[in-house]
Amino acid sequence: MNVPNQLTVARMVLTVLFVVSLSIDWAFACTTALALFIVASITDYVDGELARRWNMETNFGRLMDPLADKVMMAAALICLSGRRVFPPWVAVIIIGREFLITGLRMLAASRGKVLPAEKLGKHKMVWQIVAVIFFLLVMSVQEIVSTGALKAPGASVAWLRMDWHPLGLVLLTIAVGLTIYSGVGYVWKHRSYIAEM
């Protein structure tokens, strides 16, 4: 197994550890989950770059890399919605979009066609990652402050007590908006496969 594929497998393992971390009630669950998600997100970028740069693209990578991405993001959305960080419908929309596009690609594959990913879809993924990292970061900081691990004068940590909900709402709106827009655009572009059913 080459290095890019090893990174893809590592991302799956990190996702499992991420879910375990947020599923267990302990002092630094959110901080650990944040670190795991950031590392997993980095592997998402690095494995693709290495595969292309070193000409190491394989059938395993073509199948498992996007699958690992979807599992990672679905796990984060489900865990965060379960903690009531945002409404469950956010997770439903984003995960539902992935099922829809995957189904369309499978339909095209059954007819001998390969539907490639588009740049807008990649931008959507980036914004989803940014939104998840933001919420995990806020949770992590609150966690560290509440445990007393961060001790500083009141003025220096005053910004930690700010209401960060508006910024989170903006990031979430961008992520969900791009998810819907890219999904509808992708389906419309390849609607001929659905019309032939």
Side-chain angles (χ1 to χ4, degrees):
M1 183 177 288
N2 61 34
V3 174
N5 289 344
Q6 289 175 358
L7 290 173
T8 298
V9 173
R11 185 157 68 258
M12 296 287 283
V13 174
L14 288 169
T15 299
V16 172
L17 296 176
F18 168 85
V19 173
V20 171
S21 180
L22 286 182
S23 300
I24 299 176
D25 186 18
W26 63 294
F28 297 102
C30 296
T31 303
T32 302
L34 170 63
L36 290 169
F37 189 82
I38 289 175
V39 174
S41 299
I42 292 173
T43 67
D44 178 27
Y45 172 77
V46 173
D47 63 1
E49 282 295 309
L50 292 181
R52 287 185 291 271
R53 186 173 301 178
W54 294 350
N55 195 25
M56 288 185 171
E57 295 181 337
T58 63
N59 289 332
F60 177 88
R62 293 187 188 95
L63 174 65
M64 295 304 297
D65 181 52
L67 178 61
D69 294 345
K70 290 175 176 58
V71 171
M72 179 186 76
M73 188 53 59
L77 293 169
I78 292 171
C79 287
L80 291 178
S81 64
R83 284 175 169 254
R84 298 183 179 180
V85 175
F86 45 71
W89 60 261
V90 172
V92 172
I93 288 176
I94 295 176
I95 295 173
R97 183 262 188 203
E98 299 305 327
F99 275 112
L100 176 64
I101 300 304
T102 299
L104 182 59
R105 284 175 175 162
M106 291 176 64
L107 182 61
S110 68
R111 297 173 186 177
K113 300 291 184 179
V114 177
L115 301 184
E118 296 184 342
K119 288 185 178 181
L120 188 57
K122 294 178 181 179
H123 289 313
K124 168 267 305 177
M125 181 69 174
V126 170
W127 280 101
Q128 288 175 1
I129 290 174
V130 169
V132 168
I133 289 177
F134 170 80
F135 287 113
L136 287 171
L137 180 61
V138 172
M139 292 165 62
S140 173
V141 171
Q142 292 173 345
E143 179 179 75
I144 292 173
V145 172
S146 66
T147 58
L150 179 63
K151 296 181 179 180
S156 64
V157 296
W159 65 275
L160 299 176
R161 301 189 182 94
M162 291 174 58
D163 182 10
W164 292 98
H165 180 72
L167 179 55
L169 183 60
V170 169
L171 293 175
L172 206 58
T173 299
I174 294 173
V176 173
L178 282 176
T179 296
I180 296 173
Y181 182 74
S182 63
V184 171
Y186 198 87
V187 170
W188 179 256
K189 181 178 180 179
H190 302 290
R191 63 188 182 280
S192 60
Y193 294 102
I194 300 175
E196 295 172 2
M197 292 178 61

